[in-house]
Amino acid sequence: MSIRIGVIGTGWIGEQHVHRLTSTVSGAEVAAVSDIDLDRAAEVAEAAGARRVDSAEKLIADSEVDAVVIASWGPVHAEQVLACVEAGKPVFCEKPLTTDAADARRIMDAEQAFGRRLVQVGFMRRYDAGYRRLKEVLDSGAVGKPLMAHCVHRNKSIREHYTTEMAARDTAVHEVDALRWLLGEEFVSAQTVLPRKTTKRFPHLQDPQIFLFETASGARVDVEVFVNCQYGYDIQCEIVGEEGAVRLPDPAAPAVRRAGRSSVPVLPEFGDRFEAAFDVELQEWVDRIRNGEALTGPSAWDGYAATMVTDAAVQSLHSGAIIPIDMGDRPELYA
Ligand code: ISE
C-alpha cells in the first residue's frame, strides 16, 4: 500500500517534492497539497492528480493524509511540525526546522511525549553519494582522527530577497549539518569573518563570508560562503586527519579536450548538484514509514543543533566575537 502524503508549500522545492513523490519515489502518492497561494496550490495539485486543501491545518488533520512534507516558509514550520506531531503523523520538514531554537525545543518535547520519532529534517547532503563515501572513509579510520575541515559553498548568484544573515541560516547551515554528521560531534563555538565585499552583488549584502567553527574535541571547521561567485554551484569539502586527508568528489562529468584545453563543467544550480540526493532522501523516508521502521534521517535534535550554531554565527556577524554554543544534553530519543 502506498503512503498518502500531504505537501504543504508549493514554492520551488515544494513543487519539486510533489513531482518527485509522484514520479520517482516508489510506495508514495501525493494525496493533498496546500499553499497560502490557493491558485498555485490548485495548479500543482492538479498536475499531480492530488486534491488541493485550503489550509495547512486542514491538510495535517485530513484523514486521507498519512504523512506530511513541509516546504513552506521557515517561520511557519514550528507550528506546522507541532500540529503533525500532535496528530501522530510522520513529518518531513525542509530546513530550517525552526527559525528559533526555543521552538525546536518545543518540537523535541512534543516528540518525546509522543514516545518515538516522527520528525525528519531535509538536510539532503547526508543522502549524496559523494558525502556518503566521504563518511565511509572517515569512519574506516583511513585518514586517522580528523583535525580540520575546509569547506566551500558557492552559488553562481542569488536573488534580491537574500539577506546577509541568510549566508549562515540558509547556506552554511548545510555544512553545519554535514560536518556534525561527518565528524560525529557537536560544535561548541562559532565566529564569522568578513572579507572585502564583491561588487557583483545587491548593495544590501555582505558577500562573501567565512565561518569558523570549533567542535567539542577541538577540531576546526572553516566554511567559505560566496553566493555570487559568478561561475556556478560549487561545493567542496576536505577533511584533514592525523594520517591523511579526504576530499568530497566533484560530480562525475566527462572532461572535454578541445582547442588546447581540457575542461569539465561546473553545475549551475544546487537543484542539479543534489537532485539524486533529494530522491534518495525521500525514498528512504517513505520506505521507513511503510516498513514501520524507526526514522534514522536528520532529527529534530539535528534541526535544533543547526539553529543553535547558525544563531551563534549570526551573533558573531554583528559583533565579530567568538560565540560559545551550549546545546545542553541530547535527549535519549536522539541518542
Ligand atoms: C538555498 O536555500 C539552499 O538550500 C542551497 O543549497 C544553497 O546553496 C543556497 O545558498 C541556499 O540559498
Side-chain angles (χ1 to χ4, degrees):
M1 248 244 317
S2 284
I3 304 285
R4 298 166 301 178
I5 296 181
V7 179
I8 303 172
T10 50
W12 181 82
I13 190 74
E15 185 183 19
Q16 289 272 316
H17 284 337
V18 168
H19 180 68
R20 183 167 282 120
L21 289 163
T22 314
S23 56
T24 311
V25 171
S26 62
E29 66 181 80
V30 178
V33 173
S34 78
D35 193 279
I36 46 167
D37 180 341
L38 295 176
D39 292 341
R40 169 95 184 128
E43 217 176 277
V44 173
E46 193 187 339
R51 272 180 301 127
R52 183 198 74 188
V53 178
D54 292 352
S55 70
E57 295 72 33
K58 284 189 195 157
L59 179 141
I60 294 165
D62 195 306
S63 61
E64 287 172 20
V65 166
D66 305 316
V68 178
V69 168
I70 296 179
S72 50
W73 190 48
V76 299
H77 286 180
E79 294 317 316
Q80 293 172 352
V81 171
L82 277 167
C84 292
V85 174
E86 272 150 29
K89 295 189 181 180
V91 51
F92 174 94
C93 181
E94 267 306 328
K95 58 98 190 164
L97 173 62
T98 63
T99 46
D100 182 324
D103 282 338
R105 281 193 213 101
R106 283 165 63 212
I107 291 172
M108 289 192 285
D109 289 346
E111 215 180 17
Q112 287 173 90
F114 185 78
R116 70 179 159 85
R117 278 195 54 190
L118 288 173
V119 181
Q120 179 162 325
V121 184
F123 287 124
M124 78 300 200
R125 296 217 183 156
R126 299 189 188 199
Y127 299 88
D128 173 71
Y131 271 100
R132 285 187 159 183
R133 264 180 270 149
L134 191 60
K135 182 152 175 63
E136 275 165 28
V137 172
L138 283 176
D139 291 351
S140 74
V143 298
K145 195 170 173 197
L147 305 170
M148 296 175 279
H150 309 297
C151 310
V152 166
H153 189 151
R154 298 187 190 134
N155 294 77
K156 187 171 182 181
S157 61
I158 36 82
R159 286 183 294 152
E160 197 166 2
H161 77 276
Y162 189 99
T163 62
T164 292
E165 295 192 355
M166 286 169 78
R169 296 196 197 284
D170 210 47
T171 302
V173 69
H174 285 293
E175 275 72 21
V176 170
D177 181 69
L179 270 295
R180 287 181 55 254
W181 171 69
L182 287 168
L183 300 177
E185 53 174 339
E186 297 297 357
F187 288 6
V188 296
S189 78
Q191 185 182 20
T192 304
V193 174
L194 305 178
R196 184 163 65 80
K197 294 177 191 176
T198 170
T199 55
K200 298 185 187 304
R201 71 188 205 290
F202 293 110
H204 65 265
L205 189 67
Q206 167 65 52
D207 183 42
Q209 297 181 34
I210 297 169
F211 300 97
L212 304 174
F213 302 111
E214 184 182 3
T215 72
S217 74
R220 294 286 180 165
V221 176
D222 54 85
V223 182
E224 172 207 303
V225 165
F226 185 17
V227 293
N228 290 283
C229 82
Q230 308 298 307
Y231 68 85
Y233 187 68
D234 194 4
I235 300 299
Q236 299 173 31
C237 176
E238 183 187 33
I239 298 180
V240 185
E242 290 182 353
E243 293 167 53
V246 56
R247 189 180 268 277
L248 179 71
D250 279 331
V256 176
R257 285 175 158 74
R258 189 174 171 273
R261 318 181 79 96
S262 167
S263 63
V264 286
V266 177
L267 290 171
E269 298 291 345
F270 65 87
D272 307 301
R273 171 67 179 79
F274 288 111
E275 191 175 356
F278 283 122
D279 291 347
V280 176
E281 172 185 50
L282 282 185
Q283 185 66 66
E284 290 191 9
W285 179 68
V286 164
D287 289 348
R288 289 201 163 265
I289 298 171
R290 283 184 81 205
N291 299 334
E293 290 164 351
L295 295 179
T296 53
S299 67
W301 171 266
D302 295 311
Y304 161 74
T307 302
M308 288 291 286
V309 173
T310 53
D311 276 354
V314 168
Q315 229 180 298
S316 175
L317 165 74
H318 299 299
S319 67
I322 298 173
I323 309 293
I325 303 163
D326 180 6
M327 291 187 195
D329 292 333
R330 189 196 283 240
E332 190 61 30
L333 186 63
Y334 309 109

